[in-house]
Amino acid sequence: MKKTYVKGLAAVLLMAVAGPVLADNAGPSMTDKPTEAASQMPLGEQVYTTTCQECHMPNAMGAEGAGRYPALAKNPKLAAKQYPMVMVVNGSKAMPSFARQLDADEIAAVVNYVRTHFGNNYKDKVTAAEVKAVLPKTGPYEGH
Amino acid sequence: MSDKASTGISRRELLMMIGAMAGSATSYNAMASMGLVEESRFNGPPKLDGDPKGASVLILGAGIAGMVAAMELRNAGYKVKVLEYNSRAGGRNWSIRGGDVYTELGGATQHCEFDKGLYINPGPWRLPYNHHGILDYARRLGVRVEPFQQLNFNAYVHSTQAFGGKPQRYREIQTDYLGHVSELLSKVTQQGKLNEMVSKEDEASLLDSLRRIGALDRRYRYVPGRESSNRRGFQKPPGGGLDARPIYSKDLTGLSEILKSGLWRSIGAGWSTEFQSTIFEPVGGMGKIGEAFGRELADLIEYERKVVKVHQNRKGVEVTYVDPKTDGNPRTVTADYCLCTIPLSVLSQIDLNINPKMQAAINAVPYAAAIKIGLQFKRRFWEQDEHIYGGISYTDLPIGSIGYPNTDYFQPGKGVLLGGYMFGPNAMKFTAMPPEERVKKAVEYGAQIHAQYPQEFDNGVAVGWHRVPWTLGCFGTWTDELRAQHYDDLCQIDHRFLVAGEHASYIPGWQEGAVTSAIDAITRLHHKVINA
Ligand SMILES: Cc1cc2nc3c(=O)[nH]c(=O)nc-3n(C[C@H](O)[C@H](O)[C@H](O)COP(=O)(O)OP(=O)(O)OC[C@H]3O[C@@H](n4cnc5c(N)ncnc54)[C@H](O)[C@@H]3O)c2cc1C
């Protein structure tokens, strides 16, 4: 394993254990705070933070190891709105298709969100109808 | 349907219901198993007879596939070198133990604080008895194994939507389900409604079997009594002395309630061949296999080599690698042949000069999301308070399941369990969180099943596979369509280059796929070499 040390994480973990936050909230009646917060977010941001950010990272800078995830931040490829739309619908290489997992509204919203955030500032919008037009009739099997 | 039984269920509905049970178990397993149910074709180590005449093979990746190939090719007289990105052997065969440090894509670093001897397997954790290949390598490498409990009758099945969110014991749900279904089927049998399907002489055996399989009483009823209590448990179990008399359990769950709860889905979880007894795990963590391979092949493997380019020409193969820490210091090595076991998610980004069909195959396979969360608790409360010794509880909460350690039973001190194992959207959502948040959420959700969680939680680690720097995912998600289009192109030898690994098999997401793929690849390569 790589021995990169990031100070503070251990401390954060300890706090989570010792601090009152966890103990007070845990239990059968606890509420799911992050999801509640998420539901107040605009749809595009909601999809980004629960799905895209898994690989493209919270700051949309992507990441690199043995392979890499491209940055969406300041990405000139996003200039053509069809490009990210088709990527999300079809997938590409390691990236799965989201045609089954997300509906047309969600795909349109997240494409528009990414194209207007993270240093991208494109004015034209993708509509759900445009997404529907490229959605396969039977989506590829997501899962296994 | 005209043919209504007295229960109000038609024969067809009844049979469909039974079919639905098998069907749901199947789809459930498809989810849980990550793959097709295939008995291994492993037939013992490959016999690579004939002189390779000093041919050299460069193997990319020191996972199971790469190391099986390296060991067998070396034994057959090849000059072998393995280039590996990580600083350890094993690839996805990996255990995280106390003191380990893991940095994921995006830079988040986790320091595992488990006690000595405790570990979590972030990837593979079970070895079905019919995966003869991986078990044979474990045996040959001297890796000790112990039973992995897939099915624990005393573990829980849990739905937030049923029984007021209270977890039920597997044995109760299983017994009640089988009891009701058997009673129904005996009723229609006795009413002579299965005439066309069951002969008179089979009828008696059918009824007898239903009584036994369903724990029915003598009158083919599923009711409180010795038969049902022997299966689902007693209200007061038999004991010794004056206070010995048992009390049968009376709270049998009604059929409708079980059907509505959806908990019957968990019943078939251990029925497909990959989950049937006996299943094994290496003592001390799955990573023991990769580590043993690493020792065996110590003089062949070069670590911290990030392969960025593979080019072949008439005379051989040139592989360029860089230092993974800096992406600098490029160096090139050559060999006669190259066997590449790098996951397709990464390989599709590497500069290759291979035929377009093979390249298209490499580019075609997306990689699945999955996450595992290991939680250390201050004591083994699941054993001490709930008598759960190994096995798995299933839940419809996002964490999916809780896996209890199948080792060190009754030990004092801390214990580590698998606090979440997710695929699909839930895995994505969890992986998208910072690691400490994943752990925190797993503790919050798990507390709905084990109330001891908040009190006893100590620390945890969480590995989301899309963030693993050297796989970018859990396993290659082939579909039937993708296989039809690309699989054969992927597995061809392209001049001096070929691939092996989990992704080049019909046992996706299992180490057996990596083993059998490697053996198939080197057998074909060897044939080519000695006939060259
Ligand atoms: C969550 C999860 C659960 C699983 N459960 C089970 C289970 O219970 N039982 C079971 O048998 N299997 C299970 N599997 C599947 C099993 O882990 C894999 O099928 C198997 O380990 C794959 O072996 P491999 O050699 O094909 O690939 P890997 O193990 O991925 O090996 C590939 C190697 O290539 C290296 N590499 C990558 N990029 C480069 C590069 N650019 N340069 C150099 N080297 C590189 C990697 O570091 C790695 O070491 C599970 C997998 C996961 C993720």
Coordinates of all heavy atoms in Angstrom, one line a residue, chain A residues 66-67, chain B residues 34 60-67 83-86 88-93 122-128 131 134 286 305-308 341-343 346-347 350 370-372 421 423 465 469-471 473-475 500-503 507-514, ligand 1:
Chain A
A66 N -3.4 4.4 -11.8 CA -2.9 3.6 -12.9 C -3.7 4.0 -14.2 O -3.2 4.0 -15.3 CB -3.1 2.1 -12.6
G67 N -5.0 4.3 -14.0 CA -5.8 4.9 -15.0 C -6.3 6.2 -14.5 O -6.0 6.6 -13.4
Chain B
M34 N -22.6 -11.4 -8.4 CA -21.8 -10.7 -9.3 C -21.5 -11.6 -10.5 O -20.4 -11.5 -11.1 CB -20.5 -10.2 -8.8 CG -20.7 -9.6 -7.4 SD -19.1 -8.8 -6.9 CE -18.0 -10.1 -7.4
L60 N 2.0 -8.2 -17.3 CA 1.6 -7.0 -16.8 C 0.5 -7.2 -15.7 O -0.6 -7.7 -16.1 CB 1.1 -6.0 -17.9 CG 2.1 -5.9 -19.1 CD1 1.5 -4.9 -20.1 CD2 3.5 -5.5 -18.7
G61 N 0.8 -6.8 -14.5 CA -0.1 -7.0 -13.4 C 0.2 -8.2 -12.6 O 0.3 -9.3 -13.1
A62 N 0.3 -8.0 -11.2 CA 0.6 -9.1 -10.3 C -0.6 -9.4 -9.5 O -0.6 -9.4 -8.3 CB 1.8 -8.8 -9.4
G63 N -1.8 -9.5 -10.2 CA -3.0 -10.0 -9.5 C -3.0 -11.5 -9.7 O -2.0 -12.1 -10.0
I64 N -4.1 -12.2 -9.4 CA -4.2 -13.6 -9.4 C -3.8 -14.1 -10.8 O -3.0 -15.0 -11.0 CB -5.6 -14.1 -9.0 CG1 -5.8 -13.8 -7.5 CG2 -5.7 -15.6 -9.2 CD1 -4.8 -14.4 -6.5
A65 N -4.4 -13.5 -11.9 CA -4.2 -14.0 -13.2 C -2.7 -13.8 -13.6 O -2.1 -14.8 -14.1 CB -5.0 -13.1 -14.2
G66 N -2.1 -12.7 -13.3 CA -0.7 -12.5 -13.7 C 0.2 -13.4 -13.0 O 1.2 -14.0 -13.5
M67 N -0.1 -13.7 -11.7 CA 0.8 -14.6 -10.9 C 0.6 -16.1 -11.2 O 1.6 -16.8 -11.2 CB 0.7 -14.2 -9.4 CG 1.1 -12.8 -9.2 SD 1.4 -12.4 -7.4 CE -0.3 -12.4 -6.9
L83 N 5.5 -6.9 -14.2 CA 5.5 -5.5 -13.8 C 4.2 -5.1 -13.1 O 3.1 -5.4 -13.6 CB 5.6 -4.6 -15.1 CG 6.8 -4.8 -15.9 CD1 6.8 -3.8 -17.2 CD2 8.1 -4.6 -15.1
E84 N 4.3 -4.5 -11.9 CA 3.1 -4.3 -11.1 C 3.1 -2.8 -10.6 O 4.1 -2.3 -10.1 CB 3.0 -5.3 -9.9 CG 2.1 -4.9 -8.8 CD 0.6 -4.8 -9.3 OE1 0.1 -5.6 -10.0 OE2 0.0 -3.8 -8.8
Y85 N 1.9 -2.2 -10.7 CA 1.7 -0.8 -10.3 C 1.9 -0.6 -8.8 O 2.5 0.3 -8.3 CB 0.3 -0.4 -10.8 CG -0.1 1.0 -10.3 CD1 0.3 2.1 -11.0 CD2 -0.9 1.1 -9.2 CE1 -0.1 3.4 -10.6 CE2 -1.3 2.4 -8.7 CZ -0.9 3.5 -9.4 OH -1.3 4.7 -9.0
N86 N 1.3 -1.5 -8.1 CA 1.3 -1.4 -6.6 C 2.6 -1.8 -6.0 O 3.5 -2.3 -6.7 CB 0.2 -2.3 -6.0 CG -1.2 -1.7 -6.0 OD1 -1.3 -0.5 -5.8 ND2 -2.2 -2.5 -6.4
R88 N 2.7 -4.1 -3.7 CA 2.4 -5.4 -3.1 C 1.8 -6.3 -4.2 O 1.3 -5.8 -5.2 CB 1.4 -5.3 -1.9 CG 0.1 -4.7 -2.4 CD -1.1 -4.9 -1.4 NE -2.3 -4.4 -2.1 CZ -3.1 -5.1 -2.8 NH1 -2.9 -6.4 -3.0 NH2 -4.1 -4.5 -3.4
A89 N 1.8 -7.6 -3.9 CA 1.3 -8.6 -4.9 C -0.2 -8.9 -4.5 O -0.6 -8.7 -3.4 CB 2.1 -9.8 -4.8
G90 N -1.0 -9.2 -5.5 CA -2.3 -9.7 -5.2 C -3.4 -9.0 -6.0 O -4.4 -9.6 -6.3
G91 N -3.2 -7.7 -6.3 CA -4.3 -7.0 -7.0 C -5.5 -6.9 -6.1 O -5.4 -6.6 -4.9
R92 N -6.7 -7.3 -6.7 CA -7.9 -7.3 -5.9 C -7.9 -8.3 -4.8 O -8.7 -8.2 -3.9 CB -9.1 -7.5 -6.9 CG -9.5 -6.3 -7.6 CD -10.5 -6.6 -8.7 NE -9.8 -6.8 -10.0 CZ -10.4 -7.0 -11.2 NH1 -11.7 -7.1 -11.2 NH2 -9.7 -7.2 -12.3
N93 N -7.1 -9.3 -4.9 CA -6.9 -10.2 -3.7 C -6.1 -9.5 -2.7 O -4.9 -9.2 -2.8 CB -6.1 -11.5 -4.2 CG -5.8 -12.4 -3.0 OD1 -5.1 -12.1 -2.1 ND2 -6.4 -13.6 -3.1
P122 N -11.5 -6.1 1.4 CA -12.3 -5.1 0.7 C -12.8 -5.7 -0.7 O -13.7 -5.2 -1.2 CB -11.3 -4.0 0.4 CG -9.9 -4.6 0.6 CD -10.1 -5.7 1.5
G123 N -12.1 -6.7 -1.2 CA -12.5 -7.3 -2.4 C -13.0 -8.7 -2.1 O -14.0 -8.9 -1.4
P124 N -12.4 -9.7 -2.8 CA -12.9 -11.1 -2.6 C -12.8 -11.6 -1.1 O -11.8 -11.2 -0.4 CB -11.9 -11.9 -3.5 CG -10.8 -11.1 -3.8 CD -11.3 -9.7 -3.7
W125 N -13.8 -12.4 -0.7 CA -13.8 -12.8 0.6 C -14.2 -14.3 0.7 O -14.1 -14.9 1.8 CB -14.7 -11.9 1.5 CG -16.2 -11.8 1.0 CD1 -16.6 -11.8 -0.3 CD2 -17.3 -11.6 1.9 NE1 -18.0 -11.6 -0.3 CE2 -18.4 -11.5 1.0 CE3 -17.5 -11.5 3.2 CZ2 -19.7 -11.3 1.5 CZ3 -18.8 -11.2 3.7 CH2 -19.9 -11.1 2.8
R126 N -14.7 -14.9 -0.3 CA -15.1 -16.3 -0.2 C -14.7 -17.1 -1.4 O -14.5 -16.6 -2.5 CB -16.7 -16.4 -0.1 CG -17.4 -15.6 -1.1 CD -18.9 -15.5 -0.7 NE -19.5 -14.4 -1.4 CZ -20.7 -13.8 -1.1 NH1 -21.4 -14.2 -0.1 NH2 -21.1 -12.8 -1.8
L127 N -14.4 -18.4 -1.1 CA -13.9 -19.3 -2.1 C -14.8 -20.5 -2.2 O -14.7 -21.4 -1.3 CB -12.4 -19.8 -1.7 CG -11.4 -18.7 -1.5 CD1 -10.2 -19.3 -0.8 CD2 -11.0 -18.1 -2.9
P128 N -15.7 -20.6 -3.1 CA -16.6 -21.7 -3.2 C -15.8 -23.0 -3.4 O -14.8 -23.0 -4.1 CB -17.5 -21.4 -4.4 CG -17.3 -20.0 -4.7 CD -15.9 -19.6 -4.2
H131 N -14.7 -23.9 -7.0 CA -13.7 -23.1 -7.7 C -12.4 -23.8 -7.5 O -11.5 -23.3 -6.7 CB -13.7 -21.6 -7.1 CG -14.9 -20.8 -7.7 ND1 -15.1 -19.5 -7.5 CD2 -15.9 -21.2 -8.5 CE1 -16.2 -19.1 -8.1 NE2 -16.7 -20.1 -8.7
I134 N -8.6 -21.7 -8.0 CA -8.0 -20.8 -7.0 C -7.8 -21.6 -5.7 O -6.7 -21.4 -5.0 CB -9.0 -19.6 -6.7 CG1 -8.3 -18.6 -5.7 CG2 -10.3 -20.0 -6.2 CD1 -7.1 -17.9 -6.3
M286 N -8.1 -12.8 2.9 CA -8.0 -13.3 1.5 C -6.6 -12.9 1.0 O -6.1 -13.7 0.1 CB -9.1 -12.6 0.7 CG -9.2 -13.1 -0.7 SD -9.4 -14.9 -0.9 CE -11.2 -15.1 -0.6
R305 N 5.6 -0.1 -10.9 CA 5.8 0.1 -12.3 C 4.5 0.4 -12.9 O 3.6 -0.5 -13.0 CB 6.4 -1.1 -13.0 CG 7.7 -1.7 -12.3 CD 8.9 -0.9 -12.9 NE 10.1 -1.6 -12.5 CZ 10.9 -1.1 -11.6 NH1 10.6 -0.1 -10.8 NH2 12.1 -1.7 -11.4
K306 N 4.3 1.7 -13.4 CA 3.0 2.0 -14.0 C 3.2 1.9 -15.5 O 3.8 2.7 -16.1 CB 2.6 3.4 -13.6 CG 1.3 3.9 -14.4 CD 0.9 5.3 -13.8 CE 0.0 6.0 -14.8 NZ -0.5 7.3 -14.3
V307 N 2.6 0.9 -16.1 CA 2.7 0.6 -17.5 C 1.9 1.7 -18.3 O 0.7 1.9 -17.9 CB 2.3 -0.8 -17.9 CG1 2.2 -0.9 -19.4 CG2 3.2 -1.8 -17.3
V308 N 2.5 2.4 -19.3 CA 1.8 3.4 -20.0 C 1.7 3.1 -21.5 O 0.9 3.7 -22.2 CB 2.4 4.8 -19.8 CG1 2.2 5.2 -18.3 CG2 3.9 4.8 -20.1
T341 N -2.6 -8.5 -17.9 CA -3.7 -8.8 -17.0 C -4.3 -7.5 -16.4 O -5.0 -7.5 -15.4 CB -3.4 -9.8 -15.9 OG1 -2.5 -9.1 -14.9 CG2 -2.7 -11.0 -16.4
I342 N -3.9 -6.4 -16.9 CA -4.4 -5.1 -16.4 C -5.9 -5.0 -16.7 O -6.3 -5.3 -17.8 CB -3.6 -3.9 -17.0 CG1 -2.1 -4.0 -16.6 CG2 -4.2 -2.6 -16.7 CD1 -1.2 -3.0 -17.3
P343 N -6.7 -4.6 -15.7 CA -8.1 -4.5 -15.9 C -8.4 -3.6 -17.1 O -7.7 -2.6 -17.3 CB -8.6 -3.8 -14.6 CG -7.6 -4.2 -13.5 CD -6.3 -4.3 -14.3
V346 N -8.5 0.2 -17.0 CA -7.2 0.9 -17.1 C -6.5 0.7 -18.5 O -6.0 1.6 -19.1 CB -6.2 0.4 -16.0 CG1 -4.8 1.1 -16.1 CG2 -6.8 0.7 -14.6
L347 N -6.6 -0.6 -18.9 CA -6.0 -0.9 -20.2 C -6.5 -0.1 -21.4 O -5.7 0.2 -22.3 CB -6.2 -2.4 -20.5 CG -5.4 -3.0 -21.6 CD1 -3.9 -2.8 -21.5 CD2 -5.7 -4.5 -21.8
I350 N -4.4 2.8 -22.0 CA -2.9 2.6 -22.3 C -2.7 2.6 -23.8 O -3.5 2.1 -24.5 CB -2.5 1.3 -21.6 CG1 -2.5 1.5 -20.0 CG2 -1.1 0.9 -22.0 CD1 -2.1 0.3 -19.2
A370 N -18.9 -0.9 -6.6 CA -19.1 -1.7 -5.4 C -18.4 -1.0 -4.2 O -17.4 -0.3 -4.4 CB -18.6 -3.1 -5.6
I371 N -18.9 -1.3 -3.0 CA -18.2 -0.7 -1.9 C -18.3 -1.7 -0.7 O -19.3 -2.4 -0.6 CB -18.7 0.7 -1.5 CG1 -17.9 1.2 -0.3 CG2 -20.2 0.6 -1.1 CD1 -18.2 2.7 0.0
K372 N -17.2 -1.8 0.1 CA -17.2 -2.6 1.3 C -16.7 -1.7 2.4 O -15.8 -1.0 2.3 CB -16.3 -3.8 1.2 CG -17.0 -5.0 0.5 CD -16.1 -6.2 0.7 CE -16.7 -7.5 0.1 NZ -15.8 -8.6 0.3
Y421 N -22.0 -3.8 2.2 CA -21.5 -4.4 0.9 C -22.5 -4.0 -0.1 O -23.6 -4.6 -0.1 CB -21.3 -5.9 1.1 CG -20.7 -6.6 -0.1 CD1 -20.0 -5.9 -1.1 CD2 -20.7 -8.0 -0.2 CE1 -19.4 -6.5 -2.2 CE2 -20.1 -8.6 -1.2 CZ -19.5 -7.9 -2.2 OH -18.9 -8.5 -3.3
F423 N -23.7 -2.6 -4.2 CA -23.5 -2.5 -5.6 C -24.4 -1.4 -6.2 O -25.3 -0.9 -5.5 CB -23.8 -3.8 -6.3 CG -22.9 -4.9 -6.0 CD1 -23.2 -5.8 -5.0 CD2 -21.6 -5.0 -6.6 CE1 -22.3 -6.9 -4.7 CE2 -20.8 -6.0 -6.3 CZ -21.1 -7.0 -5.3
W465 N -14.9 0.8 -4.9 CA -14.0 0.3 -5.9 C -13.8 1.2 -7.1 O -12.8 1.1 -7.8 CB -14.5 -1.1 -6.3 CG -14.0 -2.1 -5.3 CD1 -14.6 -2.4 -4.1 CD2 -12.7 -2.7 -5.3 NE1 -13.7 -3.3 -3.4 CE2 -12.6 -3.5 -4.2 CE3 -11.6 -2.8 -6.3 CZ2 -11.5 -4.3 -3.9 CZ3 -10.5 -3.5 -6.0 CH2 -10.5 -4.3 -4.8
P469 N -7.3 3.1 -7.3 CA -6.5 3.7 -8.4 C -6.1 2.7 -9.5 O -5.8 3.1 -10.6 CB -5.2 4.2 -7.6 CG -5.6 4.3 -6.2 CD -6.7 3.3 -6.0
W470 N -6.0 1.4 -9.2 CA -5.5 0.4 -10.1 C -6.5 -0.5 -10.7 O -6.2 -1.4 -11.4 CB -4.3 -0.4 -9.5 CG -4.6 -0.6 -8.0 CD1 -4.3 0.2 -7.0 CD2 -5.3 -1.7 -7.4 NE1 -4.8 -0.3 -5.8 CE2 -5.4 -1.5 -6.1 CE3 -5.8 -2.9 -8.0 CZ2 -6.0 -2.4 -5.2 CZ3 -6.5 -3.8 -7.1 CH2 -6.5 -3.6 -5.8
T471 N -7.8 -0.3 -10.4 CA -8.9 -1.0 -11.2 C -10.0 -0.1 -11.7 O -10.7 -0.5 -12.6 CB -9.6 -2.1 -10.3 OG1 -10.1 -1.4 -9.1 CG2 -8.7 -3.2 -9.9
G473 N -12.8 0.3 -10.6 CA -14.0 -0.5 -10.5 C -13.9 -1.8 -10.0 O -12.8 -2.3 -9.7
C474 N -15.0 -2.5 -9.8 CA -15.0 -3.8 -9.1 C -14.7 -4.9 -10.0 O -13.9 -5.8 -9.8 CB -16.4 -3.9 -8.4 SG -16.7 -5.5 -7.7
F475 N -15.4 -5.0 -11.2 CA -15.2 -6.0 -12.2 C -15.8 -5.6 -13.5 O -16.6 -4.7 -13.5 CB -15.8 -7.4 -11.7 CG -17.3 -7.4 -11.6 CD1 -18.0 -8.1 -12.5 CD2 -17.9 -6.7 -10.6 CE1 -19.4 -8.1 -12.5 CE2 -19.3 -6.7 -10.5 CZ -20.0 -7.4 -11.4
A500 N -5.3 -11.6 -20.1 CA -5.9 -12.6 -19.2 C -6.5 -11.9 -18.0 O -6.1 -10.7 -17.8 CB -4.9 -13.7 -18.8
G501 N -7.3 -12.5 -17.3 CA -7.8 -11.9 -16.1 C -9.3 -12.1 -15.9 O -9.9 -12.7 -16.8
E502 N -9.8 -11.7 -14.8 CA -11.3 -11.9 -14.5 C -12.1 -11.5 -15.7 O -13.1 -12.1 -16.1 CB -11.6 -11.0 -13.3 CG -13.0 -10.7 -13.0 CD -13.5 -9.5 -13.6 OE1 -12.8 -8.4 -13.7 OE2 -14.6 -9.5 -14.1
H503 N -11.7 -10.4 -16.4 CA -12.5 -9.8 -17.5 C -12.4 -10.7 -18.8 O -13.2 -10.5 -19.7 CB -11.9 -8.4 -17.9 CG -10.4 -8.4 -17.9 ND1 -9.6 -8.2 -16.8 CD2 -9.6 -8.6 -19.0 CE1 -8.4 -8.2 -17.2 NE2 -8.3 -8.5 -18.5
I507 N -16.6 -16.2 -15.7 CA -16.8 -16.2 -14.3 C -16.5 -14.8 -13.8 O -15.6 -14.6 -13.0 CB -16.0 -17.3 -13.6 CG1 -15.9 -18.5 -14.4 CG2 -16.6 -17.6 -12.2 CD1 -15.0 -19.6 -13.8
P508 N -17.2 -13.8 -14.2 CA -16.8 -12.4 -13.9 C -16.9 -12.2 -12.4 O -17.8 -12.7 -11.7 CB -17.8 -11.5 -14.6 CG -19.0 -12.4 -14.9 CD -18.5 -13.8 -15.0
G509 N -16.0 -11.4 -11.8 CA -16.1 -11.0 -10.4 C -15.8 -12.2 -9.5 O -16.1 -12.1 -8.3
W510 N -15.1 -13.2 -10.0 CA -14.6 -14.3 -9.2 C -13.1 -14.5 -9.5 O -12.7 -14.5 -10.7 CB -15.4 -15.6 -9.4 CG -16.8 -15.5 -8.8 CD1 -17.9 -15.2 -9.5 CD2 -17.2 -15.7 -7.5 NE1 -19.0 -15.2 -8.7 CE2 -18.6 -15.6 -7.4 CE3 -16.5 -16.1 -6.3 CZ2 -19.3 -15.7 -6.2 CZ3 -17.2 -16.3 -5.1 CH2 -18.6 -16.1 -5.1
Q511 N -12.3 -14.9 -8.5 CA -10.9 -15.2 -8.8 C -10.8 -16.4 -9.7 O -9.8 -16.5 -10.4 CB -10.2 -15.4 -7.4 CG -10.2 -14.2 -6.6 CD -9.7 -14.4 -5.2 OE1 -8.5 -14.1 -4.9 NE2 -10.5 -15.0 -4.4
E512 N -11.7 -17.3 -9.6 CA -11.7 -18.5 -10.5 C -11.6 -18.1 -12.0 O -11.0 -18.7 -12.8 CB -12.9 -19.4 -10.2 CG -12.8 -20.8 -10.9 CD -11.7 -21.7 -10.3 OE1 -11.0 -21.2 -9.3 OE2 -11.5 -22.8 -10.8
G513 N -12.3 -17.0 -12.3 CA -12.2 -16.4 -13.7 C -10.8 -16.0 -14.0 O -10.3 -16.3 -15.1
A514 N -10.1 -15.4 -13.1 CA -8.8 -15.0 -13.3 C -7.8 -16.2 -13.5 O -7.0 -16.2 -14.4 CB -8.3 -14.1 -12.2
Ligands
LIG1 C1 -15.9 -6.2 -3.9 C2 -15.4 -7.4 -4.6 C3 -15.8 -8.7 -4.1 C4 -15.3 -9.8 -4.7 N1 -15.6 -11.0 -4.2 C5 -15.0 -12.2 -4.6 C6 -15.2 -13.4 -3.9 O1 -15.8 -13.4 -2.8 N2 -14.5 -14.5 -4.4 C7 -13.7 -14.4 -5.5 O2 -13.2 -15.4 -5.9 N3 -13.6 -13.3 -6.2 C8 -14.2 -12.1 -5.8 N4 -14.0 -11.0 -6.4 C9 -13.4 -11.0 -7.7 C10 -11.8 -11.1 -7.7 O3 -11.3 -10.1 -6.8 C11 -11.3 -10.8 -9.1 O4 -12.0 -11.6 -10.1 C12 -9.8 -11.2 -9.2 O5 -9.1 -10.9 -8.1 C13 -9.2 -10.5 -10.4 O6 -7.9 -10.9 -10.6 P1 -7.1 -10.4 -11.9 O7 -5.7 -10.9 -11.8 O8 -7.9 -10.6 -13.1 O9 -7.1 -8.7 -11.7 P2 -6.4 -7.9 -10.6 O10 -6.4 -8.5 -9.3 O11 -7.1 -6.5 -10.6 O12 -4.9 -7.7 -11.1 C14 -4.5 -6.7 -12.0 C15 -3.2 -6.1 -11.5 O13 -2.8 -5.2 -12.5 C16 -2.2 -4.1 -11.8 N5 -2.2 -2.9 -12.7 C17 -3.3 -2.1 -13.0 N6 -2.9 -1.1 -13.9 C18 -1.5 -1.3 -14.1 C19 -0.6 -0.6 -14.8 N7 -0.9 0.5 -15.6 N8 0.7 -1.0 -14.8 C20 1.1 -2.1 -14.1 N9 0.2 -2.8 -13.3 C21 -1.1 -2.4 -13.3 C22 -3.1 -3.9 -10.6 O14 -2.4 -3.1 -9.6 C23 -3.4 -5.3 -10.2 O15 -2.4 -5.8 -9.3 C24 -14.5 -9.8 -5.8 C25 -14.1 -8.5 -6.3 C26 -14.5 -7.3 -5.7 C27 -14.0 -6.0 -6.2

